[in-house]
Amino acid sequence: MLSGPWRFLRRLGIDLQTFKTALACGLSWLLAQSLTPHSYPYFAPIAAILTLQVTVADSIQKGIYRIVGIVVGIGISMIAGQWFSVNAATVAVVVFAGLAVSGALKLNSQIGSQIGVTALLVLAFGNAHGYAAYRILETMIGSVAAIAVNLALVPRDTTREALNAASGLGKRIAAVLRDFDEALMGKRQPAHVLGEARGLLQLIKRGNEATELARQSLKFVPLGRRRRERVERVSQAMERLEHISVQVRGIARSLLELEAAKGQPLELTEPLAAAAECVDRYADTVTDPSEAAFERLRAAVERARLVQLECFRRSIAGADPEQLKQIGSLFADLGRMLTEVGRADEPARDAG
């Protein structure tokens, strides 16, 4: 019933994070007024806004940064306030001291900024009506409210995005392997295919980032065992696919060198297609770790091994020594590729 209105709100740029932030602000203001009368309740919702992040782990981290920065900043400004009056020079010195302390202790840059802001505010307001103590208390209220709201309203689950990123990388690797066939037939330059193989690095980077975000999103989240298992599966998949991408680049370089050698044409269409099929089937198991998916993977690997062996025998027949070296390197990379997807069978099924 809510799917229609929810999609409409998403189109307007309003998502769950917007509601969580607003709720955390209202809750922190209410708590600040109830727990710290005659104080500065607006600092609590400010802390909530700055603390609430996409994941619980990030929210906790940002809350700690703010509290540490405020405590250090208050200490610096109160020491300076004992000796100096408030003027332009004092403001500059206090902010400089706060940032210098942060740099000397190698604190996070966000802590350094908070130290500077807090030192400036406490210096300007003084400690009238317990300003410094209330500043710490209300920041803690806002940070705790943000973390509680993030826990209560299920944090965004990015494991599906990570799984899709890994599966998409596998599909793209398979497509690049199939493109090698066009290079062998002279329809494309091997150098262009090598460029495509190197382009996989960007997809690997995105997949690793998605995996790390999924892992972070599950920190401190109760009842997330199944989701953690899926993140572990996608992490293993990204590692294997990264290894496979290295082998793909090795194959592309071998094809480039074979073209330069101008030797006899090689019959590599079948082994490349068989390897692409194996990577394709492995990509399917990332998002579908069922027994049927793994059976298709095992069958593809078995066929590919037979094809590689037969084509290797034909390729080395009559090849000159220089060509033999490149042929050996190429088929070694194809063999390692099959080893990678073949070893992924049992561990991945257990994680699924």
Side-chain angles (χ1 to χ4, degrees), residues 241-313:
L241 290 169
E242 191 166 353
H243 294 166
I244 292 172
S245 74
V246 173
Q247 290 137 21
V248 169
R249 293 195 296 275
I251 292 170
R253 285 191 293 269
S254 295
L255 290 175
L256 198 60
E257 291 170 3
L258 283 168
E259 182 200 39
K262 303 295 183 183
Q264 64 178 9
L266 300 180
E267 299 179 12
L268 294 174
T269 298
E270 287 184 81
L272 287 172
E277 179 70 13
C278 291
V279 178
D280 234 339
R281 298 287 72 79
Y282 176 62
D284 291 339
T285 66
V286 175
T287 51
D288 174 26
S290 65
E291 178 58 33
F294 277 101
E295 183 58 39
R296 289 191 292 270
L297 172 61
R298 287 191 292 270
V301 170
E302 185 177 348
R303 285 195 303 272
R305 291 192 191 283
L306 295 174
V307 168
Q308 282 187 18
L309 181 59
E310 180 59 31
C311 288
F312 178 70
R313 288 171 178 167

Side-chain angles (χ1 to χ4, degrees), residues 5-66:
W6 185 248
R7 283 197 296 269
F8 174 73
L9 291 174
R10 289 294 297 271
R11 285 197 294 270
L12 294 178
I14 301 172
D15 56 11
L16 179 60
Q17 194 72 4
T18 305
F19 286 107
K20 289 199 292 187
T21 303
L23 179 59
C25 286
L27 178 61
S28 59
W29 179 281
L30 180 63
L31 291 172
Q33 281 191 321
S34 302
L35 300 175
T36 59
H38 312 301
S39 63
Y40 306 86
Y42 42 83
F43 282 121
I46 290 174
I49 292 172
L50 297 176
T51 298
L52 202 144
Q53 305 293 312
V54 173
T55 68
V56 175
D58 282 343
S59 295
I60 292 174
Q61 184 182 65
K62 293 297 187 297
I64 292 172
Y65 285 169
R66 286 190 57 77

